[in-house]
Amino acid sequence: MAATTVSKVPNFHDILPDAIMPNIFSLITDTRTRNAMSLVCLKWCKLERSTRKSLALRGNIRDLNQVPVCFQAINNLDLSCLSPWGHPLLESSSNPSLLAKLLSHAFPSVVSLTIYARSPVTLHFLAPEWPKLSHVKLVRWHQRFNAPIGYDFFALFEHCPSLSSIDLSHFYCWTEDLPTAFELYPSIAASLSHLNLLVGHSFTEGYKSHELLSITSACPNLSQLLATCVFDHRFLGFVGDETLLSIASNCPRLSLLHLADSTASSSNSSTADPNNNDVGYASEDARISPTALGDFFESLPLLEELVLDVGNNVRDTWPALELLNSKCPRLKSLKLGQVHGICREIDSSMPAAGVALWKGLESLSIKNSADLTDSALIAISLGCSNLTKFEVQGCNKITKMGMQIFARVLQKTLVDVRISSCKYLNTVCSLQALEPIRDRIQRLHVDCVWESVEQYSRDHEIRGESSSSSHEACGFKDFQTEKRIMMSEEEASLKKKAKCCDGSGNGFSSCSDTWTKLKYLSLWIAAGELLNPIRLAGLENCPILEEIQIKVVGDCRNQQKPVFMAEFGLNSLVNYPQLSRMHFDCGDAIGFALTAPRGYADLSLWERFYLNGIENLNLEELNYWPPQDMDVHQRSLSLPAAGLLSQCRSLRKLFIHGTANEHFMSFFLKIPTLRDVQLREDYYPAPENDTTSEMRVDSCYRFQDALNRRHIPD
C-alpha cells in the first residue's frame, strides 16, 4: 500500500506577508484583544509589543522596580493611576533617582506623559529622563505643595525643550503659577500649541483677565486654548470686550478656543435671576457687546471649534454669529452658554439669521438661551443640515413639538443628543420628540423628570401595548398629567412651516419603540426620585446599549427616610442585554455621614437604597461615586454599599471614587472575575492624611496582594 502524504495546513500568520502584519496589529486598540493576540505565538507577541504605542500602567508603586522592559515602542505613557492612588510616585523609594532611570529604560520612546504630580519632586526626577516629551498632562487633586510660585513647572520646563502641549485640567495649582513659569522660560511658552487650563469650579474661581493676557502674550503660537475664567463684571479681573480682543490679537492661529465661566458647571439656578427664573435670563449682563464679539470672531479665521460658556447674559448676538459663519469657514463645533438672540425665528418677516446660516456645522450646544423658541429651533434644523451632535440645556421656551420637528429634519445625520433642564421637555416629552431618530441615535442624555409618565403608560395600555407596573410596586407616587403648552393655532402654524420635512405637512411619522443603535445613555435624576419609570417613559427596548451613566443630584437630608429594602430601581436596567459598563455618580447627593437626626436617614441607608438590585446586572466595569457629607468633607463607602457591590459576580473592574475601610474592601475578594480595583479620591481637596479606620498605604498593599493571589477564571 502506498504511503499517504498528509499536507500541512498553513497557519494564518504564515500566509500574510511580514510587511502587512505590523499594520494590522497597529489598528487593534482594545487592550484585552491585544493581550490575547500576544499569547498566540512568540512572533505575534513580539509584533504586539513593537506596535503598542499607548500604555496605562497599573499596579503598585512599590513594584515599579519590576516594571517590564518589553514595551520599548510605547510613546504615550500614563502613570496617574498607580496604587495607592494619589500617593507620591517616587518618594516612597529609598533611591528615587534610580527608580526614575528604570522607568526611562523600560519606556525609552515616551513623548506623551500623564502623571500624578502630588509634589514637585516627582517631575524633578522624571523630567530629565524624558527630554523629548512633547505632551504632558499633570494630575493633582490634593492641595498645592508649599513651594514658590511656579515651582511645580520649573523642572518640566528646564529639561523638556520640545514641549508643545500641556494639560492642567485635573491639576490643582494657583492661577498665578503658570504666568510666572512662562516669564522664566519664554522659549517653552513660545513653542506651545496646546494649553488646557479648563479646571473644575471646585479648584479655583478661574483665571483673571490679566492672567489670561499674560499667558496668551507669552504663547503666540497656540492653536488650542481651553481656560476657565470669570465673566461676571462684579469680580476683579473679569473677561470683557477688551480681554477677548486681546486674546484674538495675541493668538491669531487658534483653531480651538474654549472659554467657560467658573460657575458654568454649577446648576442653572445659581446664575438665574429669581424674578425671571422662567424666562431664563441671568441677573447680570456680561460686558461683551455684539460689535466687539464680531471683531473677535473676525480676528480668528482658523477657528474650527468654539466654546463661549458665559455665566452672564450676552444679548442680540445673531449679527456677530453671522460674521463668525462668514469669517471662520472651518468652524465645525459651537457651544454657547447664556448667549441670547442666536437665531431669528422663521416666521419673521426677515430671512433666517445667526446660527441658522451655518450649513457646515456638525456639533451645536445651546445652554440657557432665554429666547430660543420652537420656531428658532426649526430654523436651525433647516439651516444646519449636517448636524450630528446637538445639546440643549436650560432653554425654557422650546417644546416637544419643536424638538420633534428638529429631529425629523435632521434624521439622516443626528446621532448624539443631550436634552436637560428644559421646562417643557420632561423625560416622556424628550423621548417622544426623538421618535424620528430612534433607529439612528447612538448617544443620548435626558433628565429623569417623571411628569406624564403614568399618562403615557395608560395610552400604551389603551392601544393594547404591554407596560410594567413595577413603579407601582415600589410605591412610586402618581404623576401629574402632561400640561398643554402651546395653543392649537400655533401648533398648526409650526407644522405648516415644516412641510418640507415630511411632505405631508404633519412633520411626524410613526416609529418603532426600539432604540436600535443606542450604545450610550446618560441620565440625570434628583435625589429621592426613583429610576423605575425609565422603561414606561419609552426606553424599554435598547438591544445594544453598552454603557450607562447615572448622576444623582440633591440634598438627601430633606428627603423622607427610605423604607426598609426600598429600591432606587437599578432592576429596571436588567432588560438591556448588552449593558456592561456603568458610571453611577452619587457624589453630588448630600446627606449625613455620621449620626442623622431622628426621622432622617444617614448615608449608609441611602447607599443601600441606591445600590439595591445592582447584583442583577451583568456589569463588567463600574465607576461608583459615594454620596458625601459636605460638613465633614467625607465621601466614604458604607457597609451596605460594600456588601451590595460584592454581589456583582461579573465585575472585572471596580473604581470607587472615594474612601473605604479596609475590611469593607475585603468583601470584593468574593467577586470571582474581579481583576482591577482602586480607590480614587479624585475630588478637591483630596484627603491629605490617612485616618485610622480607612484605607492606608499598607492597607492597599495587603488588599492588592490578596487580589493578585486569586485565580482569575478567564
Side-chain angles (χ1 to χ4, degrees):
M1 182 181 294
T4 58
T5 58
V6 179
S7 60
K8 182 180 179 181
V9 179
N11 292 322
F12 173 75
H13 55 270
D14 292 332
I15 299 175
L16 293 176
D18 291 341
I20 297 179
M21 292 293 287
N23 296 331
I24 297 176
F25 273 66
S26 62
L27 297 175
I28 307 299
T29 56
D30 181 67
T31 302
R32 293 197 68 193
T33 302
R34 294 190 68 99
N35 291 340
M37 293 168 62
S38 68
L39 299 176
V40 172
C41 63
L42 182 60
K43 179 181 178 180
W44 278 38
C45 181
K46 292 180 178 180
L47 275 172
E48 195 281 325
R49 298 298 187 257
S50 64
T51 56
R52 183 178 292 206
K53 302 299 181 182
S54 180
L55 179 67
L57 199 62
R58 291 286 286 111
N60 205 290
I61 290 176
R62 63 175 179 176
D63 300 326
L64 280 179
N65 58 340
Q66 303 175 17
V67 65
V69 295
C70 55
F71 296 99
Q72 298 288 303
I74 293 293
N75 55 35
N76 184 0
L77 180 63
D78 187 349
L79 298 177
S80 64
C81 292
L82 290 167
S83 295
W85 185 91
H87 192 70
L89 180 61
L90 302 177
E91 295 179 18
S92 58
S93 173
S94 58
N95 193 339
S97 177
L98 177 61
L99 187 55
K101 291 185 179 298
L102 286 175
L103 287 172
S104 66
H105 175 69
F107 308 105
S109 305
V110 170
V111 295
S112 176
L113 177 67
T114 303
I115 188 167
Y116 197 99
R118 186 165 175 177
S119 73
V121 176
T122 302
L123 290 175
H124 174 76
F125 286 106
L126 284 180
E129 303 301 328
W130 287 306
K132 296 182 180 180
L133 284 178
S134 61
H135 169 76
V136 172
K137 179 178 180 179
L138 301 182
V139 181
R140 181 170 66 194
W141 294 89
H142 289 82
Q143 295 188 32
R144 182 183 181 276
F145 192 79
N146 188 15
I149 295 178
Y151 189 70
D152 282 311
F153 308 107
F154 287 175
L156 184 65
F157 292 175
E158 177 71 28
H159 298 285
C160 302
S162 302
L163 272 180
S164 61
S165 174
I166 300 177
D167 187 344
L168 303 179
S169 58
H170 294 91
F171 184 74
Y172 174 72
C173 62
W174 293 344
T175 55
E176 56 265 35
D177 279 330
L178 197 59
T180 302
F182 282 159
E183 288 179 6
L184 296 177
Y185 296 91
S187 61
I188 295 294
S191 66
L192 289 180
S193 61
H194 176 96
L195 185 59
N196 189 344
L197 308 176
L198 202 64
V199 296
H201 70 279
S202 60
F203 273 3
T204 176
E205 293 181 353
Y207 285 82
K208 305 293 190 294
S209 58
H210 65 275
E211 293 167 342
L212 283 177
L213 295 182
S214 174
I215 291 172
T216 53
S217 62
C219 308
N221 296 313
L222 283 178
S223 61
Q224 298 184 14
L225 173 63
L226 302 90
T228 303
C229 52
V230 180
F231 287 98
D232 195 335
H233 66 88
R234 294 171 294 182
F235 291 86
L236 293 175
F238 71 92
V239 174
D241 288 345
E242 183 179 349
T243 306
L244 290 179
L245 294 174
S246 298
I247 290 175
S249 175
N250 292 337
C251 303
R253 298 184 180 91
L254 284 174
S255 61
L256 185 157
L257 178 61
H258 188 137
L259 297 178
D261 191 89
S262 55
T263 62
S265 57
S266 58
S267 62
N268 297 335
S269 59
S270 62
T271 57
D273 185 349
N275 298 322
N276 296 309
N277 193 35
D278 289 341
V279 178
Y281 290 101
S283 57
E284 296 287 337
D285 287 357
R287 297 297 172 86
I288 300 176
S289 65
T291 303
L293 200 59
D295 294 339
F296 173 66
F297 295 151
E298 192 171 4
S299 303
L300 298 172
L302 302 180
L303 270 183
E304 299 177 12
E305 181 175 348
L306 174 65
V307 177
L308 282 179
D309 199 352
V310 187
N312 301 93
N313 302 315
V314 182
R315 303 175 186 265
D316 302 323
T317 58
W318 65 265
L321 294 176
E322 284 188 354
L323 193 61
L324 175 62
N325 178 42
S326 61
K327 299 298 182 180
C328 305
R330 301 182 182 180
L331 192 71
K332 300 296 183 184
S333 176
L334 176 67
K335 179 176 181 179
L336 301 172
Q338 212 68 48
V339 176
H340 313 292
I342 63 174
C343 177
R344 188 188 292 133
E345 299 183 4
I346 61 176
D347 59 353
S348 174
S349 57
M350 302 292 291
V355 177
L357 298 178
W358 295 5
K359 296 186 180 299
L361 203 62
E362 297 176 359
S363 175
L364 176 62
S365 175
I366 305 173
K367 178 180 177 182
N368 298 336
S369 183
D371 53 3
L372 183 71
T373 62
D374 284 347
S375 186
L377 195 64
I378 296 171
I380 292 174
S381 67
L382 296 173
C384 305
S385 56
N386 292 317
L387 277 183
T388 60
K389 179 179 180 180
F390 179 68
E391 176 183 4
V392 61
Q393 176 181 347
C395 298
N396 293 331
K397 290 188 176 181
I398 62 174
T399 68
K400 179 181 75 173
M401 183 188 57
M403 193 65 208
Q404 191 165 27
I405 297 175
F406 179 90
R408 174 68 175 170
V409 175
L410 296 172
Q411 62 178 336
K412 293 183 178 180
T413 60
L414 202 58
V415 295
D416 188 343
V417 178
R418 295 179 62 89
I419 304 174
S420 61
S421 304
C422 296
K423 181 179 179 180
Y424 297 122
L425 288 175
N426 56 38
T427 312
V428 169
C429 292
S430 298
L431 297 178
Q432 289 179 341
L434 297 177
E435 281 182 346
I437 57 173
R438 273 187 178 176
D439 58 341
R440 293 178 175 86
I441 190 170
Q442 299 175 14
R443 298 175 65 87
L444 172 65
H445 169 88
V446 292
D447 291 347
C448 295
V449 181
W450 301 129
E451 295 176 1
S452 74
V453 171
E454 192 163 286
Q455 179 66 35
Y456 177 76
S457 64
R458 289 199 192 104
D459 294 343
H460 275 242
E461 290 174 359
I462 291 173
R463 294 195 301 267
E465 300 178 14
S466 62
S467 63
S468 172
S469 59
S470 60
H471 68 297
E472 193 174 310
C474 290
F476 202 79
K477 62 183 180 182
D478 293 336
F479 298 97
Q480 297 179 349
T481 58
E482 184 178 4
K483 297 180 180 179
R484 194 166 192 81
I485 56 178
M486 296 199 65
M487 298 290 290
S488 58
E489 293 82 1
E490 184 179 356
E491 182 175 347
S493 174
L494 286 173
K495 289 181 181 179
K496 186 176 181 180
K497 294 166 190 170
K499 271 187 176 182
C500 58
C501 315
D502 156 298
S504 62
N506 59 20
F508 304 96
S509 62
S510 58
C511 300
S512 169
D513 288 339
T514 301
W515 301 78
T516 311
K517 297 183 179 181
L518 188 65
K519 294 184 178 181
Y520 171 86
L521 175 63
S522 173
L523 303 172
W524 178 98
I525 188 166
E529 295 290 335
L530 301 181
L531 187 64
N532 300 87
I534 189 67
R535 292 171 57 197
L536 294 176
L539 279 171
E540 184 173 5
N541 298 320
C542 304
I544 65 170
L545 183 66
E546 300 174 351
E547 182 176 356
I548 190 168
Q549 180 170 341
I550 303 173
K551 187 173 182 63
V552 181
V553 179
D555 195 341
C556 297
R557 297 172 297 185
N558 299 329
Q559 304 293 329
Q560 292 184 356
K561 184 177 180 179
V563 298
F564 181 71
M565 295 304 292
E567 293 186 7
F568 168 61
L570 292 181
N571 275 323
S572 59
L573 307 179
V574 172
N575 283 354
Y576 303 148
Q578 300 299 321
L579 184 62
S580 60
R581 298 189 301 276
M582 176 186 285
H583 286 236
F584 195 12
D585 187 357
C586 298
D588 287 330
I590 304 169
F592 299 103
L594 305 176
T595 304
R598 178 176 296 181
Y600 293 89
D602 59 24
L603 288 181
S604 64
L605 294 180
W606 281 110
E607 282 199 278
R608 182 174 64 187
F609 166 74
Y610 281 116
L611 291 173
N612 257 331
I614 196 170
E615 67 277 5
N616 298 322
L617 306 180
N618 293 320
L619 297 177
E620 296 182 2
E621 181 176 337
L622 174 63
N623 282 262
Y624 175 63
W625 286 259
Q628 63 168 316
D629 188 334
M630 298 183 68
D631 295 334
V632 296
H633 189 64
Q634 182 172 347
R635 305 190 190 198
S636 183
L637 193 72
S638 65
L639 175 61
L644 290 168
L645 291 176
S646 67
Q647 298 178 36
C648 299
R649 314 305 289 179
S650 58
L651 274 183
R652 286 189 61 86
K653 296 182 179 181
L654 174 61
F655 303 116
I656 299 171
H657 300 261
T659 61
N661 295 326
E662 182 178 359
H663 64 283
F664 293 171
M665 295 291 290
S666 64
F667 292 1
F668 302 142
L669 299 175
K670 301 176 183 178
I671 304 176
T673 58
L674 194 61
R675 187 69 184 89
D676 194 0
V677 185
Q678 192 170 45
L679 295 177
R680 297 178 179 176
E681 300 161 353
D682 48 358
Y683 50 90
Y684 180 80
E688 289 287 344
N689 300 315
D690 297 322
T691 64
T692 56
S693 60
E694 294 177 339
M695 289 287 285
R696 303 178 298 277
V697 174
D698 292 339
S699 306
C700 184
Y701 291 164
R702 288 191 293 269
F703 172 77
Q704 287 198 330
D705 288 341
L707 184 68
N708 293 333
R709 282 195 299 266
R710 300 178 316 134
H711 172 70
I712 306 298
D714 58 346

